[in-house]
C-alpha cells in the first residue's frame, strides 16, 4: 500500500501568511493532481495553542532568532497556525476532502513538532505510524511545506521507521531562512535513503 503524506499545506505558510513560504501556494495544484494515484492520503496540520513556546513573542525576541525549548535549540517563529484560526486552515483549493485522516501536531506548548510522527523531543507520537501500519502502508510519498523543516523531519522519521520514502520536489517549497537550506535538506534526505523525485 502506498500513502501520500501532505505536510502542513496551511494558510499561514502561504505568501501573505504569518510564516510565509516563498511560492508555497504553488504546491496546491501539484498535490491535487497526485492525490488520485495513492491508496491512502493523509495530511498533517501544524496546530499550536496561542501560548506555544516556539513563538518569538513569548520570549521577547524577534522571529528568526535562536532560543531554547524543551532543552533543545529552537528557532523562534512568528505566531502561526494557532488552533482554530484562519491561518491554520488548509490552503484554498487543496482537495482536503480526499484526506483519509488528518494528524495535528505542535499542540503541546512546551515542545515544537516538525515531524508528523513525533515531537522534536520525541516525547509523544501523533499516531501516524500506527495508522499507516494498520493499513499495510509500506511506501510513503511526502509533499507540502516546508521542505527544510516539517517535510524534512517527517521524511527522516518515516525513513527511520522503515518506510520506503519518496519526496516529490515539485510539490514542496522551503522557508530558506538561509540561502541553500532547501538544497541541504534534500541532500540530507537523499543520504538517509529518501528518493527525491
Ligand atoms: C513549520 C516552522 C514552524 C513547517 C512549522 O510546517 O515546516 N515550520 N512550524
Ligand atoms: Zn509551527
Amino acid at each position: 500500500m502506498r500513502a501520500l503524506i501532505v505536510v502542513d499545506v496551511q494558510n499561514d505558510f502561504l505568501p501573505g501568511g504569518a510564516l510565509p513560504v516563498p511560492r508555497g501556494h504553488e504546491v496546491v495544484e501539484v498535490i491535487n493532481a497526485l492525490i488520485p494515484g495513492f491508496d491512502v492520503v493523509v495530511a498533517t496540520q501544524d496546530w499550536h495553542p496561542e501560548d506555544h513556546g516556539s513563538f518569538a513573542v513569548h520570549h521577547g525576541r524577534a522571529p528568526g532568532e535562536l532560543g531554547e525549548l524543551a532543552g533543545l535549540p529552537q528557532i523562534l517563529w512568528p505566531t502561526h497556525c494557532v488552533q482554530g484560526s484562519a491561518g491554520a486552515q488548509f490552503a484554498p483549493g487543496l482537495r482536503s476532502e480526499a484526506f483519509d485522516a488528518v494528524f495535528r501536531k505542535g499542540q503541546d506548548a512546551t515542545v515544537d513538532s516538525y515531524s508528523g510522527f513525533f515531537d522534536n523531543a520525541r516525547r509523544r507520537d501523533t499516531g501516524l505510524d500506527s495508522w499507516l501500519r494498520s493499513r499495510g502502508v509500506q511506501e510513503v510519498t511526502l509533499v507540502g511545506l516546508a521542505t527544510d523543516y516539517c517535510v524534512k523531519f517527517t521524511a527522516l522519521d518515516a525513513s527511520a521507521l522503515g518506510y520506503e520514502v519518496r519526496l516529490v520536489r515539485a510539490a514542496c517549497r522551503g522557508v530558506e531562512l538561509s540561502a541553500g537550506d532547501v538544497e541541504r535538506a534534500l541532500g540530507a534526505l537523499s543520504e538517509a535513503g529518501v528518493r527525491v523525485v
Side-chain angles (χ1 to χ4, degrees):
M1 294 283 275
R2 299 168 65 239
L4 183 69
I5 304 181
V6 181
V7 177
D8 296 3
V9 181
Q10 295 167 263
N11 290 329
D12 272 342
F13 297 125
L14 305 183
L19 203 174
V21 176
R23 298 163 57 208
H25 63 293
E26 293 176 2
V27 304
V28 171
E29 288 311 318
V30 186
I31 293 170
N32 284 344
L34 289 170
I35 284 174
F38 288 84
D39 301 309
V40 293
V41 182
V42 302
T44 65
Q45 214 171 10
D46 212 30
W47 197 253
H48 297 308
E50 200 125 35
D51 63 348
H52 196 264
S54 74
F55 297 166
V57 65
H58 301 312
H59 299 256
R61 308 275 295 279
E65 289 184 26
L66 196 65
E68 198 188 281
L69 189 64
L72 302 167
Q74 171 72 48
I75 297 169
L76 301 175
W77 299 108
T79 299
H80 65 279
C81 294
V82 172
Q83 298 172 359
S85 69
Q89 303 310 305
F90 290 120
L94 183 66
R95 280 199 202 134
S96 55
E97 70 279 1
F99 297 159
D100 296 298
V102 176
F103 294 86
R104 289 173 166 170
K105 61 188 180 59
Q107 303 188 66
D108 178 348
T110 66
V111 63
D112 210 355
S113 194
Y114 292 151
S115 162
F117 291 97
F118 306 101
D119 62 75
N120 294 1
R122 298 195 156 254
R123 287 185 196 149
R124 259 182 249 167
D125 100 67
T126 59
L128 175 55
D129 181 42
S130 57
W131 192 96
L132 293 171
R133 268 178 218 288
S134 72
R135 280 154 185 85
V137 171
Q138 289 173 321
E139 186 191 305
V140 299
T141 295
L142 283 144
V143 295
L145 309 172
T147 320
D148 35 1
Y149 292 96
C150 292
V151 175
K152 172 185 171 185
F153 288 101
T154 305
L156 288 175
D157 278 346
S159 184
L161 287 165
Y163 295 95
E164 268 184 58
V165 187
R166 303 191 322 151
L167 178 150
V168 181
R169 228 196 133 134
C172 298
R173 293 290 183 278
V175 181
E176 289 250 301
L177 277 186
S178 304
D181 279 354
V182 166
E183 278 313 312
R184 278 187 287 276
L186 295 176
L189 290 172
S190 295
E191 245 165 66
V194 174
R195 214 143 47 88
V196 179
V197 297

